Amino acid sequence: MERNSRIFVAGHRGLVGSAIVRRLVEGGYDDLVLRGRDELDLTDQAAVRAFFDREKIDYVILAAAKVGGILANERFGGDFIRDNLLIQTNVIDAAWRAGVRKLLFLGSSCLYPKFAEQPLKEEALLTGALEPTNKPYAIAKIAGITQCQAYRRQYGFNAICAMPSNLYGPGDHFDPEGSHAIPGMIRRFHDAKMEQAPSVTLWGTGTPRREFLYVDDMADACLHLMERYDSEDIINVGPGEDIAIGDLARLIRRVVGYEGALTQDLSKPDGHPRKLMDVSRLFATGWRPKVGLEEGLNRTYGWFLENAAPPAPRPAATTTGEAAE
């Protein structure tokens, strides 16, 4: 991409999209096209086509998606499959029709089969059953990958697909119930610290292992791939290291400074037993992450305190002397 290229970052207000915008600005790209949901409804085909016809976009990074944790996927599966199918179908098709030079589509490690051999190689996609707790989201995103590959084969459209590991960092959604693992834990431990609660409950056994990538590293990888990768084959993006959820919870408890107990609710689902990706294809292109997990957690908690933390509870009112009449 040239520094004066016209680049559309779809989903620029989200976790990944905002990090990509930061990285583009740092890299000197000065013609970014950004539209919020109130300005452009990506589920509206006619609006998306008109936008691409009007704006003359050179490159697209498709970071817009409806995402959430286990609880959100269980409760709103219909929304997840519908909205994601509409967003990606409209954007990919309109980009091709408008002559966009290259598009990057973001998948997820949760698209791989639940019991695929570890570490997850790109070739494992569609070789087994999906994890039931996020099946609607996964099926929608797999359809997006297939669309990119089919448009490349039929129309010569230069679309590439990256498969990030679990992402976290500034700009995340810190809902204690509907968010992903790291922001959800940060919020629960922070609230427990502020309320002086005696314990925090962790869903499941704590034994599943997950791989986490700081979102600014993901943004850096996206630019790297836009400049150096050109294949219909999907490519994994991650640090190549994982951690047990229980160990992650203890690390976040330390970062937050919560001193209470950590308990477990064994009635809740674990999800995938392990998700560690083989990132040898990416590393062979010369890219490596820069931010380790503990450093990334400290940065993320710092951002949360400045931007997303709820107000501290007010102390109970006290009086001295005689009560007023």
Side-chain angles (χ1 to χ4, degrees), residues 18 36 44 59 64 81 94 106 117 132 153 160 164 169 174-175 181 211 324:
S18 60
D44 183 334
Y59 296 94
I81 192 167
L106 300 183
E117 183 179 351
R153 294 172 188 172
I160 60 174
F174 292 86
D175 184 333
E211 181 181 17

Side-chain angles (χ1 to χ4, degrees), residues 99-168:
V100 165
R101 294 165 63 182
K102 191 171 187 177
L103 178 145
L104 170 61
F105 177 78
L106 300 183
S108 168
S109 61
C110 71
L111 310 188
Y112 286 112
K114 180 174 182 177
F115 296 108
E117 183 179 351
Q118 303 285 326
L120 296 163
K121 294 182 178 293
E122 288 88 351
E123 293 79 13
L125 189 67
L126 292 174
T127 61
L130 298 168
E131 161 59 44
T133 57
N134 68 311
K135 189 174 181 180
Y137 172 80
I139 287 176
K141 298 297 281 187
I142 291 170
I145 291 171
T146 305
Q147 183 182 0
C148 287
Q149 294 171 333
Y151 272 48
R152 176 182 281 269
R153 294 172 188 172
Q154 183 174 349
Y155 304 122
F157 183 46
N158 190 8
I160 60 174
C161 303
M163 301 286 271
S165 64
N166 294 286
L167 303 173
Y168 71 100

Side-chain angles (χ1 to χ4, degrees), residues 18-37:
S18 60
I20 290 170
V21 170
R22 289 195 298 272
R23 180 63 182 83
L24 286 167
V25 170
E26 290 171 1
Y29 297 90
D30 57 8
D31 195 2
L32 305 184
V33 181
L34 310 174
R35 296 290 186 275
R37 194 177 307 170

